[in-house]
Amino acid sequence: DVKVTQSSRYLVKRTGEKVFLECVQDMDHENMFWYRQDPGLGLRLIYFSYDVKMKEKGDIPEGYSVSREKKERFSLILESASTNQTSMYLCASRLAQGDYSNQPQHFGDGTRLSIL
Amino acid sequence: AQKVTQAQTEISVVEKEDVTLDCVYETRDTTYYLFWYKQPPSGELVFLIRRNSFDEQNEISGRYSWNFQKSTSSFNFTITASQVVDSAVYFCALSEGTGGSYIPTFGRGTSLIVHP
């Protein structure tokens, strides 16, 4: 079974802090994703990585950056946390094989981040 | 551009009732893939099913069934004889095939509450 592990289930940080959310997958998947989930808004894509050192902005990248130095790890960085970044953050991975848009995503348990 | 609409924000039923979750999609691509995911209160999205655009056969898995109709651009999900454990948020998603966007688009989700 694919395992996607997010470093924290709950995290509380202060406004202006630099925040790192870590995601590790154990199945050698090429694609990795970061989403935020807010009530009534569903899942919104922050960043997407096709493979190591590759990244693409999603729908709401402002205030965030990412790092993919190793295939198994995809980090989301809040450069200067603000209260409007309080949310649930979900990481996912996907195998890139053939027409890989037919591959399902595998999700972590999520990190509930509160910015005070 | 691809789009997924889940018009039902929340559905509340009593145990043993049948319930259908609606999903309507838009895409210009002729090759695409549709997915359903379940997000229980624990937070992790779990993949339930994938359907490709060339396969309109309906599928049944235990109490779950899916009805894919290209004519109405719908991919609806029915739970028969619902149980409390079915309480979750359900997401429908769309990925376009070759030539389209490889990045999945999610609907906003339908929260299903099953009362004992």
Coordinates of all heavy atoms in Angstrom, one line a residue, chain A residues 29-80:
Chain A
H29 N 6.7 7.6 -6.4 CA 5.8 8.3 -7.3 C 6.5 9.6 -7.8 O 7.1 10.3 -7.0 CB 4.5 8.7 -6.5 CG 3.5 7.6 -6.4 ND1 2.4 7.7 -5.7 CD2 3.6 6.3 -6.8 CE1 1.7 6.5 -5.7 NE2 2.4 5.7 -6.4
E30 N 6.3 9.8 -9.1 CA 6.9 11.0 -9.6 C 6.1 12.3 -9.3 O 6.7 13.3 -9.0 CB 6.9 10.9 -11.2 CG 7.9 9.9 -11.7 CD 7.3 8.4 -11.6 OE1 6.2 8.3 -11.3 OE2 8.1 7.5 -12.0
N31 N 4.8 12.2 -9.3 CA 4.0 13.5 -9.1 C 3.7 13.6 -7.6 O 3.3 12.7 -6.9 CB 2.7 13.4 -9.8 CG 2.8 13.3 -11.3 OD1 1.8 13.0 -12.0 ND2 4.0 13.5 -11.9
M32 N 3.8 14.9 -7.2 CA 3.3 15.2 -5.8 C 2.6 16.5 -5.8 O 2.8 17.4 -6.7 CB 4.5 15.2 -4.8 CG 5.1 13.9 -4.6 SD 6.3 13.8 -3.3 CE 5.3 13.7 -1.9
F33 N 1.6 16.7 -4.9 CA 0.7 17.8 -4.9 C 0.6 18.4 -3.5 O 0.6 17.6 -2.5 CB -0.7 17.4 -5.3 CG -0.8 16.7 -6.6 CD1 -0.4 15.3 -6.7 CD2 -1.3 17.3 -7.7 CE1 -0.6 14.6 -7.9 CE2 -1.4 16.6 -8.9 CZ -1.1 15.3 -9.0
W34 N 0.3 19.7 -3.4 CA -0.1 20.3 -2.1 C -1.4 21.0 -2.4 O -1.6 21.8 -3.3 CB 0.9 21.3 -1.6 CG 2.0 20.7 -0.8 CD1 3.3 20.5 -1.1 CD2 1.8 20.2 0.6 NE1 4.0 19.9 0.0 CE2 3.1 19.7 1.0 CE3 0.7 20.1 1.5 CZ2 3.3 19.2 2.3 CZ3 1.0 19.6 2.7 CH2 2.2 19.1 3.1
Y35 N -2.4 20.7 -1.5 CA -3.7 21.3 -1.6 C -4.0 22.0 -0.2 O -3.5 21.6 0.8 CB -4.8 20.3 -1.8 CG -4.8 19.6 -3.1 CD1 -4.1 18.4 -3.3 CD2 -5.5 20.1 -4.2 CE1 -4.2 17.7 -4.5 CE2 -5.6 19.4 -5.4 CZ -4.9 18.2 -5.5 OH -4.9 17.6 -6.7
R36 N -4.9 23.0 -0.2 CA -5.5 23.4 1.0 C -7.0 23.2 0.9 O -7.6 23.3 -0.2 CB -5.1 24.8 1.4 CG -5.6 25.9 0.5 CD -5.3 27.3 1.1 NE -6.2 27.7 2.1 CZ -6.0 28.9 2.8 NH1 -5.0 29.7 2.6 NH2 -6.9 29.2 3.8
Q37 N -7.6 22.8 2.0 CA -9.0 22.5 2.1 C -9.7 23.5 3.1 O -9.3 23.5 4.3 CB -9.2 21.1 2.5 CG -10.7 20.7 2.5 CD -10.9 19.2 2.9 OE1 -10.0 18.5 3.3 NE2 -12.1 18.8 2.7
D38 N -10.6 24.2 2.6 CA -11.4 25.1 3.5 C -12.9 24.8 3.3 O -13.3 24.5 2.2 CB -11.1 26.6 3.1 CG -9.6 26.9 3.2 OD1 -9.2 27.0 4.4 OD2 -8.9 27.1 2.2
P39 N -13.7 25.0 4.4 CA -15.1 24.7 4.3 C -15.8 25.5 3.1 O -15.6 26.7 3.0 CB -15.6 25.2 5.6 CG -14.4 25.2 6.5 CD -13.2 25.5 5.7
G40 N -16.5 24.7 2.3 CA -17.3 25.3 1.2 C -16.4 25.6 0.0 O -17.0 25.9 -1.1
L41 N -15.1 25.4 0.1 CA -14.3 25.7 -1.1 C -13.6 24.4 -1.7 O -13.0 24.5 -2.7 CB -13.2 26.7 -0.7 CG -13.7 28.1 -0.3 CD1 -12.5 28.9 0.1 CD2 -14.5 28.7 -1.4
G42 N -13.8 23.3 -1.0 CA -13.2 22.1 -1.5 C -11.7 22.1 -1.4 O -11.1 22.7 -0.6
L43 N -11.1 21.3 -2.4 CA -9.6 21.3 -2.4 C -9.1 22.3 -3.4 O -9.6 22.2 -4.6 CB -9.2 19.9 -2.9 CG -9.6 18.7 -1.9 CD1 -9.1 17.4 -2.6 CD2 -8.9 18.9 -0.6
R44 N -8.2 23.1 -3.1 CA -7.6 24.0 -4.0 C -6.1 23.7 -4.1 O -5.4 23.6 -3.1 CB -7.8 25.4 -3.5 CG -9.3 25.9 -3.6 CD -9.5 27.3 -3.2 NE -9.2 27.5 -1.8 CZ -9.1 28.7 -1.2 NH1 -9.2 29.8 -2.0 NH2 -8.8 28.8 0.1
L45 N -5.6 23.6 -5.3 CA -4.2 23.2 -5.6 C -3.3 24.4 -5.3 O -3.5 25.5 -5.9 CB -4.1 22.7 -7.0 CG -2.7 22.2 -7.4 CD1 -2.3 21.0 -6.6 CD2 -2.7 21.9 -8.9
I46 N -2.3 24.2 -4.5 CA -1.3 25.2 -4.2 C -0.1 25.1 -5.2 O 0.2 26.0 -5.9 CB -0.8 25.2 -2.8 CG1 -2.0 25.2 -1.8 CG2 0.1 26.3 -2.5 CD1 -1.6 25.0 -0.4
Y47 N 0.5 23.9 -5.2 CA 1.6 23.6 -6.1 C 1.6 22.2 -6.5 O 1.0 21.3 -5.8 CB 3.0 23.9 -5.4 CG 3.5 25.3 -5.6 CD1 3.3 26.3 -4.6 CD2 4.3 25.6 -6.7 CE1 3.8 27.6 -4.8 CE2 4.8 26.8 -6.9 CZ 4.6 27.8 -6.0 OH 5.1 29.1 -6.1
F48 N 2.2 21.9 -7.6 CA 2.3 20.6 -8.1 C 3.7 20.3 -8.6 O 4.4 21.3 -9.1 CB 1.3 20.5 -9.3 CG 1.5 19.3 -10.2 CD1 1.5 18.0 -9.7 CD2 1.6 19.4 -11.6 CE1 1.6 16.9 -10.5 CE2 1.7 18.3 -12.4 CZ 1.7 17.1 -11.9
S49 N 4.2 19.1 -8.4 CA 5.6 18.8 -8.8 C 5.5 17.5 -9.7 O 5.0 16.5 -9.3 CB 6.5 18.5 -7.6 OG 7.7 18.0 -8.0
Y50 N 6.0 17.7 -10.9 CA 6.0 16.5 -11.9 C 7.0 15.5 -11.4 O 6.8 14.3 -11.6 CB 6.3 17.0 -13.3 CG 5.1 17.6 -14.0 CD1 5.0 19.0 -14.0 CD2 4.2 16.9 -14.6 CE1 3.9 19.6 -14.6 CE2 3.1 17.5 -15.3 CZ 3.0 18.9 -15.3 OH 1.9 19.4 -15.9
D51 N 8.2 16.0 -11.0 CA 9.3 15.1 -10.6 C 10.3 15.9 -9.8 O 10.1 17.1 -9.5 CB 9.9 14.5 -11.9 CG 10.5 13.1 -11.6 OD1 11.0 12.9 -10.5 OD2 10.5 12.3 -12.5
V52 N 11.4 15.3 -9.5 CA 12.4 16.0 -8.6 C 12.8 17.3 -9.3 O 13.0 17.4 -10.5 CB 13.6 15.1 -8.5 CG1 14.7 15.8 -7.6 CG2 13.2 13.8 -7.9
K53 N 12.9 18.3 -8.4 CA 13.3 19.7 -8.8 C 12.3 20.3 -9.8 O 12.7 21.4 -10.3 CB 14.7 19.7 -9.3 CG 15.8 19.2 -8.3 CD 17.2 19.5 -8.8 CE 18.2 18.9 -7.8 NZ 18.2 19.6 -6.5
M54 N 11.2 19.7 -10.1 CA 10.2 20.4 -11.0 C 9.0 20.8 -10.2 O 8.6 20.0 -9.3 CB 9.8 19.4 -12.1 CG 11.0 19.0 -12.9 SD 10.6 17.6 -14.0 CE 9.5 18.4 -15.2
K55 N 8.5 22.0 -10.5 CA 7.3 22.4 -9.8 C 6.5 23.3 -10.7 O 7.0 23.9 -11.7 CB 7.7 23.2 -8.5 CG 8.6 24.4 -8.8 CD 9.1 25.1 -7.5 CE 10.0 26.3 -7.9 NZ 10.6 26.9 -6.6
E56 N 5.2 23.4 -10.4 CA 4.3 24.2 -11.2 C 3.3 24.8 -10.2 O 2.8 24.1 -9.3 CB 3.6 23.3 -12.2 CG 2.7 24.1 -13.2 CD 2.2 23.1 -14.3 OE1 3.0 22.4 -14.9 OE2 1.0 23.2 -14.5
K57 N 3.0 26.1 -10.5 CA 2.0 26.7 -9.6 C 0.7 26.2 -9.9 O 0.3 25.9 -11.0 CB 2.0 28.2 -9.9 CG 3.3 29.0 -9.4 CD 3.2 30.4 -9.8 CE 4.5 31.1 -9.3 NZ 4.5 32.6 -9.6
G58 N -0.1 26.1 -8.8 CA -1.5 25.7 -8.9 C -2.4 26.9 -8.9 O -2.0 28.0 -9.4
D59 N -3.6 26.8 -8.3 CA -4.6 27.9 -8.4 C -4.3 29.0 -7.4 O -4.7 30.1 -7.6 CB -5.9 27.3 -8.2 CG -6.3 26.2 -9.2 OD1 -6.0 26.5 -10.4 OD2 -6.9 25.2 -8.8
I60 N -3.7 28.7 -6.3 CA -3.5 29.7 -5.2 C -2.1 29.6 -4.6 O -1.8 29.4 -3.5 CB -4.5 29.4 -4.1 CG1 -4.5 28.0 -3.6 CG2 -5.9 29.8 -4.5 CD1 -5.2 27.8 -2.3
P61 N -1.0 29.9 -5.4 CA 0.3 29.8 -5.0 C 0.8 31.0 -4.1 O 1.9 30.9 -3.5 CB 1.1 29.7 -6.3 CG 0.3 30.6 -7.2 CD -1.1 30.3 -6.8
E62 N 0.1 32.1 -4.1 CA 0.6 33.3 -3.4 C 0.8 33.0 -1.9 O -0.1 32.5 -1.3 CB -0.4 34.4 -3.6 CG -0.7 34.9 -5.1 CD -1.6 33.9 -5.9 OE1 -2.3 33.2 -5.2 OE2 -1.5 33.9 -7.1
G63 N 2.0 33.4 -1.5 CA 2.3 33.3 -0.1 C 3.0 31.9 0.2 O 3.3 31.7 1.4
Y64 N 3.1 31.1 -0.8 CA 3.7 29.8 -0.6 C 4.8 29.5 -1.6 O 4.9 30.1 -2.6 CB 2.6 28.7 -0.9 CG 1.4 28.8 -0.1 CD1 0.2 29.4 -0.6 CD2 1.3 28.2 1.2 CE1 -0.9 29.5 0.2 CE2 0.1 28.2 1.9 CZ -1.0 28.9 1.4 OH -2.1 28.9 2.2
S65 N 5.7 28.6 -1.2 CA 6.7 28.1 -2.1 C 6.9 26.6 -1.8 O 6.3 26.1 -0.8 CB 8.1 28.8 -1.9 OG 8.6 28.7 -0.6
V66 N 7.6 25.9 -2.6 CA 7.8 24.5 -2.4 C 9.2 24.1 -2.7 O 9.9 24.8 -3.4 CB 6.8 23.6 -3.3 CG1 5.4 23.8 -2.8 CG2 7.0 24.0 -4.8
S67 N 9.5 22.9 -2.3 CA 10.9 22.3 -2.5 C 10.7 20.9 -2.8 O 10.1 20.1 -2.0 CB 11.8 22.6 -1.3 OG 13.0 21.9 -1.5
R68 N 11.4 20.4 -3.8 CA 11.4 18.9 -4.1 C 12.8 18.6 -4.5 O 13.2 18.5 -5.7 CB 10.4 18.6 -5.3 CG 10.3 17.1 -5.6 CD 9.1 16.5 -5.1 NE 9.0 15.1 -5.3 CZ 8.3 14.6 -6.4 NH1 7.7 15.3 -7.3 NH2 8.3 13.2 -6.5
E69 N 13.6 18.3 -3.5 CA 15.0 18.0 -3.8 C 15.2 16.5 -3.9 O 16.2 16.0 -4.5 CB 15.9 18.5 -2.6 CG 15.9 20.0 -2.5 CD 16.6 20.7 -3.8 OE1 17.6 20.2 -4.2 OE2 16.0 21.7 -4.3
K70 N 14.3 15.7 -3.3 CA 14.4 14.3 -3.4 C 13.0 13.8 -3.9 O 12.0 14.4 -3.5 CB 14.8 13.6 -2.1 CG 16.2 13.9 -1.6 CD 16.5 13.1 -0.4 CE 18.0 13.4 0.0 NZ 18.4 12.6 1.2
K71 N 13.0 12.7 -4.5 CA 11.7 12.2 -5.1 C 10.7 11.9 -4.1 O 9.5 12.2 -4.3 CB 12.0 10.9 -5.9 CG 10.9 10.5 -6.8 CD 11.4 9.4 -7.7 CE 10.3 9.1 -8.8 NZ 10.8 7.9 -9.7
E72 N 11.1 11.5 -2.9 CA 10.1 11.0 -1.9 C 9.5 12.2 -1.1 O 8.5 12.0 -0.4 CB 10.6 10.0 -1.0 CG 11.8 10.4 -0.1 CD 13.1 10.3 -0.7 OE1 13.2 10.2 -2.0 OE2 14.1 10.3 0.0
R73 N 10.1 13.4 -1.2 CA 9.8 14.4 -0.2 C 9.4 15.7 -1.0 O 10.1 16.2 -1.9 CB 11.0 14.7 0.7 CG 10.7 15.7 1.8 CD 12.0 15.9 2.6 NE 12.4 14.7 3.3 CZ 12.0 14.4 4.5 NH1 11.1 15.1 5.2 NH2 12.4 13.3 5.0
F74 N 8.3 16.3 -0.5 CA 7.7 17.5 -1.1 C 7.4 18.4 0.0 O 6.5 18.1 0.8 CB 6.5 17.2 -2.0 CG 6.1 18.3 -2.9 CD1 6.9 19.2 -3.4 CD2 4.7 18.4 -3.2 CE1 6.5 20.2 -4.3 CE2 4.3 19.4 -4.1 CZ 5.1 20.3 -4.6
S75 N 8.1 19.5 0.1 CA 7.9 20.4 1.2 C 7.1 21.7 0.8 O 7.4 22.2 -0.3 CB 9.2 20.9 1.8 OG 10.0 19.7 2.2
L76 N 6.2 22.1 1.6 CA 5.4 23.3 1.4 C 6.0 24.4 2.4 O 6.0 24.1 3.6 CB 4.0 23.1 1.6 CG 3.1 24.3 1.4 CD1 3.0 24.8 -0.1 CD2 1.6 24.0 1.9
I77 N 6.2 25.6 2.0 CA 6.8 26.6 2.8 C 5.9 27.8 2.8 O 5.5 28.3 1.7 CB 8.2 27.0 2.3 CG1 9.1 25.7 2.3 CG2 8.9 28.0 3.2 CD1 10.2 25.8 1.3
L78 N 5.5 28.3 4.0 CA 4.8 29.5 4.1 C 5.9 30.5 4.5 O 6.5 30.5 5.6 CB 3.8 29.4 5.2 CG 2.5 28.7 4.9 CD1 2.7 27.2 4.7 CD2 1.4 28.9 5.9
E79 N 6.2 31.4 3.6 CA 7.4 32.3 3.8 C 7.2 33.2 5.0 O 8.1 33.4 5.8 CB 7.6 33.1 2.6 CG 8.0 32.3 1.3 CD 9.4 31.7 1.4 OE1 10.2 32.1 2.3 OE2 9.7 30.7 0.7
S80 N 6.0 33.8 5.2 CA 5.7 34.6 6.3 C 4.2 34.4 6.6 O 3.4 35.0 6.0 CB 6.0 36.1 6.0 OG 5.6 37.0 7.0

